[in-house]
Amino acid sequence: MPEIKNYTMNFGPQHPAAHGVLRLVLELDGEVIQRADPHIGLLHRATEKLAEHKTFLQSVPYMDRLDYVSMLCNEHAYVQAIEKLAGIDVPVRAQYIRVMFDEITRILNHLMWLGAHGLDIGAMTVFLYCFREREDLMDAYEAVSGARMHAAYYRPGGVYRDMPDTMPQYEASKIHNAAAVKKMNENRQGSLLDFLEDFTRRFPTCVDEYETLLTDNRIWKQRTVDIGIVTPERAVALGMTGPMLRGSGVEWDLRKKRPYAAYDQLDFDIPVGKNGDSYDRYLVRVEEMRQSNRIVKQCITWLRANPGAVMTTNHKFAPPARESMKQNMEELIHHFKLFTEGMHVPAGEAYAAVEHPKGELGIYLVSDGANKPYRLKIRAPGFPHLAALDEMVRGHMIADVVTIIGTQDIVFGEIDR
Amino acid sequence: MEWLLPIQNLLGSAWLPIWTVVKIMLIVGPLMIGVAYLTLAERKVIGWMQSRIGPNRVGYFGLLQPLADGLKLLMKEIIIPSGSNKLLFVIAPIMVLMPALAAWAVIPFSAELVLTNVNAGLLYILAMTSLGVYGVIIAGWASNSKYAFLGCLRSAAQIVSYEIAMGFALVTVLMAAQSLNLGDIVRGQHGQYGMLNWYIIPLFPMFIVYLISGVAETNRAPFDVAEGESEIVAGFHVEYSGMGFALFFLGEYANMILIAFLTSIMFLGGWLSPVPFLPDSIVWMLAKVAFVLFLFLWFRATFPRYRYDQLMRLGWKVFIPVTLVWVVVVGAWMQTPYWLW
């Protein structure tokens, strides 16, 4: 009798559902997965090594490019590690701004995830609805930092600058006439905070809209319920964090358990799942969007009431004001040192982690007292998730591989680093 | 057709084949235009549903977009993979398109407008639509590609299962109409109450089954597992380029229009007017077809894709039992005086 061999299939790296450059070698029995072997490294850019050859400040934009759909959360972990090591006090206003933008980032990430996940499962309309709302949030990024995605907005010791008082306006063009532009600019008349407040008012209705299309949809449920179940014990053992862990029912969120920045001042809930399947993770992420919206609202109220500095006054790490630099020798030296060789972080090591939209993003920083890190290690949340892919997909079908890659919220920027 | 008589006399025995060819042209021509503009309608309708505008650059409102697309595909190189079976690889798209066009021979567009008025029209349609799957299977197999192979396996299983449900749905129609002639089926729905005389009323579950099977039969979302662009990339036609690729789409869209025509003929009263005081005409037919096609597009914009095994489960465990039961129900119903159709 001839031996029956499994059907080996190469999934990716150029595959519409590979979320970037994932390459999977699938062993199939018919359409049932026997083994999934993820191959990584196709987006490796040596971020950790590059950071060793750049001053501390120069690595901030590299952090944006780790998980390139949740840019500011990555930066937050990095600046926190520096602040921890150097003992810098960050002004409270900067903390709130960071929290607000972390949550905006979380919404951005989850919208991207929801859209892509929907598209993978074949619901393409959700994708465009999600991107409609993403646009507004990217405008907020742009208003505050000048860049729609790779903001480079956080600094060790605070944030680059305070919120702008005006929003950029659309201008009439061949496609949009004056009347249309007026309507598009309606919510851009005030400051960035006004714009964001308008967004937080609208956003829950938008989430309802996505949920109408998916949550009770029989096909959506058939495609996600009981797909890729992870038990709480396995989730912990596999090193899962974020919605992957909470979807399995483990209530672990660094924002609550190890509060950083201003999270201990804010009121929000941590949604957890029950069965640990793709559908629960979907529900967890959708609820997280609503909670993030709540946090953004609270931050807006606080930021309106409490003006103040957004950068530390420790001028060994933050540049001094130009006027004082012109008059004060000490400040001139600070300025010169900062802009020639950069900040010197005292020797030692620090680990700082944030609750990144995908899980725990940690930066382990070793400094030898020079103006560059001695070693920078990034703990990417997606890496352990991808490592668990084989376990999650075994016994499922090809279509479920796509669901499971989607539910893991894989982004290759952080996995390959 | 009195004015054609002089030409008929002139051509003598050559008249019949020439006249048939002309009639075929008169059906296939508008059909191809319909296919082209269905692609535009699809992009526009789905665009509006997704809060965007769809193509609007080529011609007014993008009206020349289908021509531009067609021209582009026509100019592209046809790549034949070196590992493929060249003959079958080339034949496959033709085998998809051919039955999709051949089925139109028996479609009555209005009371007089039909190419061939055969009594076994319904059987002919069933035979022709089933043939399309061979093109798909051959395409997947001849490509010698793993993705294409998976796509053709899925497609074969899917079409075979839904064919059964579809066939049974049609059995109830032929029971109600007591004829296999499509023209007679429409005439059987004629009555004094307008749309209440249509078969959709007594055969409503069959209408739903037929419509959904039709979506599955044409490999359209949410049943597009054979293509499944996010799973097996494009399934059976992943290796095709240029005109070979275009032929698959011509076939798919021609089949969509065909299913829409069949749905309106068998359940929605064909060219009959929905209200008694308006005259019957081909306009009604086209309006009903447009409505069914709109449903196809609407489904695509709304639903996620079924998984292959769930699709089979729906076909075998839901549709086939439902159709079997309804065949018995209709049979019993017709023996009682309460059968009014």
Side-chain angles (χ1 to χ4, degrees), chain B residues 287-306:
Chain B
K288 289 163 190 172
V289 167
F291 169 72
V292 177
L293 285 175
F294 176 75
L295 289 181
F296 272 76
L297 308 184
W298 193 3
F299 292 156
R300 178 159 176 219
T302 312
F303 292 125
R305 184 182 305 114
Y306 265 107

Side-chain angles (χ1 to χ4, degrees), chain A residues 271-307:
Chain A
V272 288
K274 232 162 112 186
N275 307 318
D277 57 10
S278 298
Y279 186 66
D280 279 13
R281 287 186 283 268
Y282 156 76
L283 292 176
V284 163
R285 287 190 173 107
V286 168
E287 185 53 33
E288 274 185 17
M289 286 203 271
R290 294 185 193 276
Q291 295 299 331
S292 294
N293 195 51
R294 251 176 90 191
I295 300 177
V296 172
K297 252 186 197 163
Q298 295 170 45
C299 288
I300 292 170
T301 322
W302 193 93
L303 286 167
R304 272 190 209 286
N306 298 279

Side-chain angles (χ1 to χ4, degrees), chain B residues 21-41:
Chain B
V21 167
V22 168
K23 281 196 285 190
I24 289 173
M25 291 296 174
L26 285 177
I27 291 175
V28 172
L31 174 65
M32 283 295 128
I33 294 169
V35 165
Y37 280 90
L38 181 56
T39 61
L40 179 69

Side-chain angles (χ1 to χ4, degrees), chain A residues 183-355:
Chain A
K183 196 159 181 299
M184 287 157 76
N185 283 331
E186 239 165 32
N187 54 5
R188 289 158 196 271
Q189 296 308 315
S191 67
L192 173 62
L193 286 177
D194 296 333
F195 177 72
L196 281 172
E197 194 175 22
D198 175 65
F199 178 82
T200 54
R201 264 201 302 271
R202 268 184 298 131
F203 188 59
T205 341
C206 300
V207 179
D208 292 343
E209 210 171 30
Y210 317 142
E211 285 213 78
T212 330
L213 276 171
L214 299 177
T215 304
D216 289 325
N217 186 320
R218 294 171 61 100
I219 306 179
W220 180 259
K221 278 181 130 174
Q222 285 186 26
R223 287 298 306 275
T224 53
V225 173
D226 287 345
I227 302 299
I229 297 181
V230 188
T231 60
E233 298 76 35
R234 279 311 285 163
V236 173
L238 289 164
M240 289 182 176
T241 44
M244 290 293 288
L245 185 63
R246 292 194 286 273
S248 298
V250 183
E251 199 205 340
W252 178 260
D253 189 316
L254 291 176
R255 293 176 292 170
K256 279 269 193 231
K257 305 286 176 185
R258 303 278 184 277
Y260 54 93
Y263 278 114
D264 46 355
Q265 312 290 319
L266 296 163
D267 180 30
F268 61 98
D269 300 322
I270 304 298
V272 288
K274 232 162 112 186
N275 307 318
D277 57 10
S278 298
Y279 186 66
D280 279 13
R281 287 186 283 268
Y282 156 76
L283 292 176
V284 163
R285 287 190 173 107
V286 168
E287 185 53 33
E288 274 185 17
M289 286 203 271
R290 294 185 193 276
Q291 295 299 331
S292 294
N293 195 51
R294 251 176 90 191
I295 300 177
V296 172
K297 252 186 197 163
Q298 295 170 45
C299 288
I300 292 170
T301 322
W302 193 93
L303 286 167
R304 272 190 209 286
N306 298 279
V310 293
M311 197 65 170
T312 178
T313 46
N314 183 344
H315 291 156
K316 295 229 179 292
F317 296 96
R322 196 145 185 91
E323 288 138 58
S324 56
M325 185 264 282
K326 294 282 184 191
Q327 288 158 10
N328 183 329
M329 191 63 206
E330 194 76 0
E331 300 285 59
L332 181 65
I333 296 169
H334 281 143
H335 184 272
F336 178 74
K337 293 287 262 185
L338 266 177
F339 283 94
T340 50
E341 55 179 35
M343 61 186 77
H344 287 260
V345 173
E349 53 190 84
Y351 177 77
V354 293
E355 185 66 29

